[in-house]
PDB file of all heavy atoms in Angstrom:
ATOM      1  N   PRO I  61      98.382 133.570  93.148  1.00  0.00           N
ATOM      2  CA  PRO I  61      97.163 133.531  93.924  1.00  0.00           C
ATOM      3  C   PRO I  61      97.293 132.688  95.186  1.00  0.00           C
ATOM      4  O   PRO I  61      96.395 132.541  96.046  1.00  0.00           O
ATOM      5  CB  PRO I  61      96.148 133.029  92.917  1.00  0.00           C
ATOM      6  CG  PRO I  61      97.011 132.185  92.019  1.00  0.00           C
ATOM      7  CD  PRO I  61      98.259 132.930  91.857  1.00  0.00           C
ATOM      8  N   GLY I  62      98.312 131.893  95.337  1.00  0.00           N
ATOM      9  CA  GLY I  62      98.453 130.779  96.303  1.00  0.00           C
ATOM     10  C   GLY I  62      99.313 131.209  97.489  1.00  0.00           C
ATOM     11  O   GLY I  62      99.671 132.361  97.649  1.00  0.00           O
ATOM     12  N   THR I  63      99.673 130.123  98.193  1.00  0.00           N
ATOM     13  CA  THR I  63     100.434 130.336  99.369  1.00  0.00           C
ATOM     14  C   THR I  63     101.890 130.599  98.951  1.00  0.00           C
ATOM     15  O   THR I  63     102.472 129.825  98.120  1.00  0.00           O
ATOM     16  CB  THR I  63     100.445 129.042 100.362  1.00  0.00           C
ATOM     17  OG1 THR I  63      99.128 129.022 100.788  1.00  0.00           O
ATOM     18  CG2 THR I  63     101.277 129.270 101.579  1.00  0.00           C
ATOM     19  N   ILE I  64     102.533 131.523  99.628  1.00  0.00           N
ATOM     20  CA  ILE I  64     103.963 131.806  99.454  1.00  0.00           C
ATOM     21  C   ILE I  64     104.644 131.388 100.717  1.00  0.00           C
ATOM     22  O   ILE I  64     104.453 132.066 101.843  1.00  0.00           O
ATOM     23  CB  ILE I  64     104.273 133.279  98.973  1.00  0.00           C
ATOM     24  CG1 ILE I  64     103.534 133.629  97.794  1.00  0.00           C
ATOM     25  CG2 ILE I  64     105.729 133.608  98.880  1.00  0.00           C
ATOM     26  CD1 ILE I  64     103.587 135.062  97.490  1.00  0.00           C
ATOM     27  N   VAL I  88     103.764 141.206 100.909  1.00  0.00           N
ATOM     28  CA  VAL I  88     102.621 140.278 100.793  1.00  0.00           C
ATOM     29  C   VAL I  88     101.685 140.725 101.830  1.00  0.00           C
ATOM     30  O   VAL I  88     101.570 140.236 102.871  1.00  0.00           O
ATOM     31  CB  VAL I  88     102.951 138.851 100.868  1.00  0.00           C
ATOM     32  CG1 VAL I  88     101.765 137.950 100.634  1.00  0.00           C
ATOM     33  CG2 VAL I  88     104.116 138.420  99.880  1.00  0.00           C
ATOM     34  N   PRO I  89     100.721 141.785 101.529  1.00  0.00           N
ATOM     35  CA  PRO I  89      99.815 142.246 102.525  1.00  0.00           C
ATOM     36  C   PRO I  89      98.836 141.267 103.152  1.00  0.00           C
ATOM     37  O   PRO I  89      98.461 141.248 104.280  1.00  0.00           O
ATOM     38  CB  PRO I  89      99.091 143.422 101.947  1.00  0.00           C
ATOM     39  CG  PRO I  89      99.966 143.802 100.689  1.00  0.00           C
ATOM     40  CD  PRO I  89     100.585 142.474 100.409  1.00  0.00           C
ATOM     41  N   ASP I  90      98.445 140.113 102.282  1.00  0.00           N
ATOM     42  CA  ASP I  90      97.530 139.161 102.818  1.00  0.00           C
ATOM     43  C   ASP I  90      98.150 138.222 103.656  1.00  0.00           C
ATOM     44  O   ASP I  90      98.902 137.362 103.170  1.00  0.00           O
ATOM     45  CB  ASP I  90      96.792 138.650 101.538  1.00  0.00           C
ATOM     46  CG  ASP I  90      95.770 137.643 101.916  1.00  0.00           C
ATOM     47  OD1 ASP I  90      95.366 137.531 103.261  1.00  0.00           O
ATOM     48  OD2 ASP I  90      95.076 137.100 100.984  1.00  0.00           O
ATOM     49  N   LYS I  91      97.924 138.206 104.838  1.00  0.00           N
ATOM     50  CA  LYS I  91      98.589 137.222 105.818  1.00  0.00           C
ATOM     51  C   LYS I  91      98.232 135.752 105.458  1.00  0.00           C
ATOM     52  O   LYS I  91      98.912 134.854 105.719  1.00  0.00           O
ATOM     53  CB  LYS I  91      98.091 137.638 107.256  1.00  0.00           C
ATOM     54  CG  LYS I  91      98.633 136.604 108.346  1.00  0.00           C
ATOM     55  CD  LYS I  91      98.235 137.048 109.755  1.00  0.00           C
ATOM     56  CE  LYS I  91      98.786 136.082 110.745  1.00  0.00           C
ATOM     57  NZ  LYS I  91      98.233 136.516 112.162  1.00  0.00           N
ATOM     58  N   ALA I  92      96.964 135.655 104.910  1.00  0.00           N
ATOM     59  CA  ALA I  92      96.500 134.247 104.565  1.00  0.00           C
ATOM     60  C   ALA I  92      97.383 133.676 103.552  1.00  0.00           C
ATOM     61  O   ALA I  92      97.371 132.437 103.245  1.00  0.00           O
ATOM     62  CB  ALA I  92      95.103 134.196 104.121  1.00  0.00           C
ATOM     63  N   GLN I  93      98.261 134.482 102.801  1.00  0.00           N
ATOM     64  CA  GLN I  93      99.141 133.950 101.786  1.00  0.00           C
ATOM     65  C   GLN I  93     100.434 133.653 102.312  1.00  0.00           C
ATOM     66  O   GLN I  93     101.421 132.970 101.604  1.00  0.00           O
ATOM     67  CB  GLN I  93      99.275 134.867 100.591  1.00  0.00           C
ATOM     68  CG  GLN I  93      98.193 134.944  99.586  1.00  0.00           C
ATOM     69  CD  GLN I  93      98.636 135.715  98.416  1.00  0.00           C
ATOM     70  OE1 GLN I  93      98.473 136.809  98.312  1.00  0.00           O
ATOM     71  NE2 GLN I  93      99.073 134.978  97.316  1.00  0.00           N
ATOM     72  N   ARG I  94     100.781 134.131 103.469  1.00  0.00           N
ATOM     73  CA  ARG I  94     102.156 133.960 104.084  1.00  0.00           C
ATOM     74  C   ARG I  94     102.371 132.742 104.754  1.00  0.00           C
ATOM     75  O   ARG I  94     101.603 132.516 105.840  1.00  0.00           O
ATOM     76  CB  ARG I  94     102.536 135.177 104.895  1.00  0.00           C
ATOM     77  CG  ARG I  94     102.482 136.555 104.153  1.00  0.00           C
ATOM     78  CD  ARG I  94     103.086 137.591 104.912  1.00  0.00           C
ATOM     79  NE  ARG I  94     102.486 138.006 106.263  1.00  0.00           N
ATOM     80  CZ  ARG I  94     101.675 138.915 106.395  1.00  0.00           C
ATOM     81  NH1 ARG I  94     101.329 139.835 105.432  1.00  0.00           N
ATOM     82  NH2 ARG I  94     101.254 139.110 107.706  1.00  0.00           N
ATOM     83  N   GLY I  95     103.289 131.786 104.393  1.00  0.00           N
ATOM     84  CA  GLY I  95     103.414 130.586 105.007  1.00  0.00           C
ATOM     85  C   GLY I  95     104.837 130.215 105.607  1.00  0.00           C
ATOM     86  O   GLY I  95     105.762 130.760 105.115  1.00  0.00           O
ATOM     87  N   THR I 111     103.010 137.067 111.897  1.00  0.00           N
ATOM     88  CA  THR I 111     103.448 137.123 110.541  1.00  0.00           C
ATOM     89  C   THR I 111     102.819 136.288 109.648  1.00  0.00           C
ATOM     90  O   THR I 111     102.317 136.510 108.586  1.00  0.00           O
ATOM     91  CB  THR I 111     105.000 136.913 110.465  1.00  0.00           C
ATOM     92  OG1 THR I 111     105.724 137.927 111.328  1.00  0.00           O
ATOM     93  CG2 THR I 111     105.458 137.267 108.927  1.00  0.00           C
ATOM     94  N   PHE I 112     102.545 135.051 109.959  1.00  0.00           N
ATOM     95  CA  PHE I 112     102.211 133.965 109.038  1.00  0.00           C
ATOM     96  C   PHE I 112     100.687 133.504 109.270  1.00  0.00           C
ATOM     97  O   PHE I 112     100.222 133.478 110.367  1.00  0.00           O
ATOM     98  CB  PHE I 112     103.208 132.789 109.120  1.00  0.00           C
ATOM     99  CG  PHE I 112     104.550 133.051 108.999  1.00  0.00           C
ATOM    100  CD1 PHE I 112     105.416 133.303 109.982  1.00  0.00           C
ATOM    101  CD2 PHE I 112     104.971 133.190 107.575  1.00  0.00           C
ATOM    102  CE1 PHE I 112     106.833 133.608 109.698  1.00  0.00           C
ATOM    103  CE2 PHE I 112     106.325 133.470 107.292  1.00  0.00           C
ATOM    104  CZ  PHE I 112     107.254 133.760 108.434  1.00  0.00           C
ATOM    105  N   GLY I 113     100.016 133.099 108.107  1.00  0.00           N
ATOM    106  CA  GLY I 113      98.732 132.606 108.269  1.00  0.00           C
ATOM    107  C   GLY I 113      98.593 131.262 107.810  1.00  0.00           C
ATOM    108  O   GLY I 113      97.508 130.593 107.968  1.00  0.00           O
ATOM    109  N   VAL I 114      99.770 130.568 107.333  1.00  0.00           N
ATOM    110  CA  VAL I 114      99.574 129.194 106.905  1.00  0.00           C
ATOM    111  C   VAL I 114     100.935 128.686 107.648  1.00  0.00           C
ATOM    112  O   VAL I 114     101.983 128.999 107.466  1.00  0.00           O
ATOM    113  CB  VAL I 114      99.753 128.956 105.426  1.00  0.00           C
ATOM    114  CG1 VAL I 114      99.677 127.511 105.128  1.00  0.00           C
ATOM    115  CG2 VAL I 114      98.659 129.772 104.607  1.00  0.00           C
ATOM    116  N   PHE I 115     100.759 127.347 108.288  1.00  0.00           N
ATOM    117  CA  PHE I 115     101.787 126.708 108.836  1.00  0.00           C
ATOM    118  C   PHE I 115     101.940 125.349 108.573  1.00  0.00           C
ATOM    119  O   PHE I 115     101.030 124.528 108.477  1.00  0.00           O
ATOM    120  CB  PHE I 115     101.585 126.768 110.397  1.00  0.00           C
ATOM    121  CG  PHE I 115     101.739 128.215 111.006  1.00  0.00           C
ATOM    122  CD1 PHE I 115     100.517 129.058 111.005  1.00  0.00           C
ATOM    123  CD2 PHE I 115     102.942 128.782 111.413  1.00  0.00           C
ATOM    124  CE1 PHE I 115     100.536 130.293 111.649  1.00  0.00           C
ATOM    125  CE2 PHE I 115     102.988 130.004 111.993  1.00  0.00           C
ATOM    126  CZ  PHE I 115     101.847 130.812 111.996  1.00  0.00           C
TER     127      PHE I 115
END
Side-chain angles (χ1 to χ4, degrees):
T63 299
I64 300 170
V88 183
D90 185 359
K91 182 179 179 180
Q93 277 194 283
R94 302 196 295 261
T111 304
F112 302 96
V114 183
F115 293 89

